[in-house]
Structures are given as structure tokens and as C-alpha cells.
Amino acid sequence: MRVVFLGPPGAGKGTQAARIAGLRGVPHLSTGEMLRRAVRERTPVGLQAKGHMDRGALVPDDVVDRLVAERLAQSDAGRGFLLDGYPRNPAQARALEQVLARRQGALDRVVYVHVDDDTLVERIAGRRGCPKCGTVFHLAARPPRKAGLCDDCGTALVQRADDAETVVRDRLKVYHDNTAALVRYYEERGLLGRVDGNLPIDEVTHAVEAVLGSAA
Ligand code: AMP
């Protein structure tokens, strides 16, 4: 199963990709997570990425393309993968196509999770994450059992710096400027399946499963 999850920040693609990856036994590859780890660990990629991420801008294509190509070369991705947050524009989509042509084979499906902007801003403002294990909570929709602490490992939850409202508006603009073109790109190739991300979380998972049914 070679699948891309597409959609604006806050659409719930990370949550859905993590669920489906668990159900289907394939790795969930989030470029946002990979880049945040690189920043924390101060790797060369992290040092290049940090300024762009803090502003809510995209990290340069060549940096992200290389990161993804290296990750897809690892053996666990041979069985399939769910990409979340990549590609972000048609140039990255073409880079991905080239990497896959050399390795796993073409994409099976692209899941487009769409949500309106006001809902996205509201969702992102309430988002809190565990800096240790990466689990994501939401103050209203998915509160941790103990306020402020991760259910899985007990670490104090934090808000991502780029989840602050002004940066979120910039990220949404970047999304509309770049990523929306990808919807057309994959639609033209007959790969796109749309899912309404405004629905409750379990219903979204059902809808995603329905889109993936033919790709399983
Ligand atoms: P995300 O967690 O997917 O919202 O990504 C957080 C930030 O990481 C984005 O605002 C970008 O700065 C950077 N990023 C993640 N994926 C990509 C990508 N495919 N291309 C460029 N930048 C990315």
C-alpha cells in the first residue's frame, strides 16, 4: 500500500495516517515529524530547516526530497507506506514519482482530507503534542487523561511554535498557494479520493478506509 495523505495543516491527516498505519502494518512517514526531530537533534538538515519552519514557510524542496528518498530506501518502506505532509507541491510530487519508479512502484492512492479554514485555525490552536513520543492531543476534542501530560509516556505536553495563530494563518496561505495545485495534479492522474475532514474522527477513518479499499 503506497499512499499519500494530502490536506491543509490541522485537517487531521496525521491522526488518520497514524491510525491506518497501525491497522495495516505499514510505516507512517510524516515529513513534519522528521523535520522537527532533525531540528531537535541539530542535524545539518535540522539547521537548514529551522528558520523556514519557524516562519511557517516550506523547507526547500531539495532538502525534503532527499530526506524522503533516504527514508523510503529503508527496508520497512518496501512493504508500503503512508506519506503525511509530503509532497507539498507538484515539484515534490514529480521527485517522489522518480524515487518510486526506481524502487517500490507507483502510488496506489492519494487521500485528500479537506476542512474549511476557520475550523482549521480553531483545531490547531487547541493542539498539544508530546515532545518525547509525538502523540498529538487536542484540548477539546482529544484531551489527555491528566491535564497537560501525555497519556502514553507522562511527558509534559507542549504547543508547537508554528501552531501559534499568526503562523497558522501563514501556513494556510502557503498551503493554498502551493498544495492546492497538487489536488489537481493527482486528480488528473486518477489517484485522488476525497474525504470530509469535518466529520467526527471515527467517521473520517471509515471514509479513509473506503477510499483505500481498492488500494489495499
Ligand atoms: P506539518 O507538521 O506537516 O504541518 O509540517 C510542519 C512544517 O514542516 C511545515 O510548515 C514546513 O515548514 C515543514 N514541512 C513539512 N513537510 C514539508 C514538505 N513536504 N515540504 C516543505 N516543508 C515541509
Side-chain angles (χ1 to χ4, degrees), residues 126 128 136-149 151 157:
R128 297 292 180 276
V136 180
F137 299 85
H138 189 277
L139 297 180
R142 193 190 170 203
R145 283 193 293 274
K146 270 196 194 158
L149 297 179
D151 287 353
L157 301 177

Side-chain angles (χ1 to χ4, degrees), residues 8-10 13 30-33 35-36 49-50 52-61 64-65 68 84-89 92 127 160 162-163 167 171 174:
K13 26 179 220 312
S30 153
T31 44
E33 264 310 309
L35 289 166
R36 281 188 287 281
K50 187 175 184 321
H52 302 283
M53 294 176 76
D54 287 347
R55 288 199 310 280
L58 291 184
V59 174
D61 288 347
V64 186
D65 289 342
V68 172
D84 158 16
Y86 180 92
R88 281 285 227 276
N89 56 37
Q92 293 183 4
R127 188 152 77 172
R160 278 169 48 180
D162 64 348
D163 277 354
V167 185
R171 285 166 65 204
V174 168

Side-chain angles (χ1 to χ4, degrees), residues 4-120:
V4 162
F5 276 75
L6 202 68
K13 26 179 220 312
T15 303
Q16 296 299 333
R19 281 189 168 196
I20 304 285
L23 293 170
R24 306 276 184 122
V26 292
H28 166 206
L29 310 181
S30 153
T31 44
E33 264 310 309
M34 290 157 71
L35 289 166
R36 281 188 287 281
R37 191 177 327 125
V39 169
R40 275 199 306 277
E41 294 173 356
R42 296 196 170 81
T43 67
V45 166
L47 295 176
Q48 271 178 292
K50 187 175 184 321
H52 302 283
M53 294 176 76
D54 287 347
R55 288 199 310 280
L58 291 184
V59 174
D61 288 347
D62 59 328
V63 175
V64 186
D65 289 342
R66 204 168 337 114
L67 196 67
V68 172
E70 282 170 12
R71 183 61 187 86
L72 288 177
Q74 292 176 21
S75 59
D76 62 342
R79 284 177 288 118
F81 53 81
L82 299 178
L83 271 172
D84 158 16
Y86 180 92
R88 281 285 227 276
N89 56 37
Q92 293 183 4
R94 284 189 289 274
L96 175 63
E97 251 165 39
Q98 282 172 12
V99 169
L100 293 181
R102 287 198 297 273
R103 294 185 174 278
Q104 289 90 338
L107 283 179
D108 297 306
R109 210 84 173 98
V110 175
V111 181
Y112 172 40
V113 186
H114 57 95
V115 176
D116 56 85
D117 277 9
D118 287 341
T119 308
L120 292 173

Side-chain angles (χ1 to χ4, degrees), residues 129-208:
C130 176
K132 193 165 168 212
C133 71
T135 307
V136 180
F137 299 85
H138 189 277
L139 297 180
R142 193 190 170 203
R145 283 193 293 274
K146 270 196 194 158
L149 297 179
C150 177
D151 287 353
D152 296 334
C153 68
T155 305
L157 301 177
V158 294
Q159 183 177 38
R160 278 169 48 180
D162 64 348
D163 277 354
E165 180 158 346
T166 47
V167 185
V168 167
R169 298 264 176 208
D170 287 343
R171 285 166 65 204
L172 285 176
K173 182 173 181 322
V174 168
Y175 168 75
H176 288 301
D177 288 350
N178 292 280
T179 318
L182 268 183
V183 172
R184 284 195 299 279
Y185 182 93
Y186 284 127
E187 206 154 39
E188 282 162 14
R189 285 159 179 75
L191 288 172
L192 197 81
R194 288 169 193 270
V195 167
D196 180 358
N198 295 291
L199 298 173
I201 205 163
D202 290 340
E203 287 179 43
V204 180
T205 307
H206 281 304
V208 172

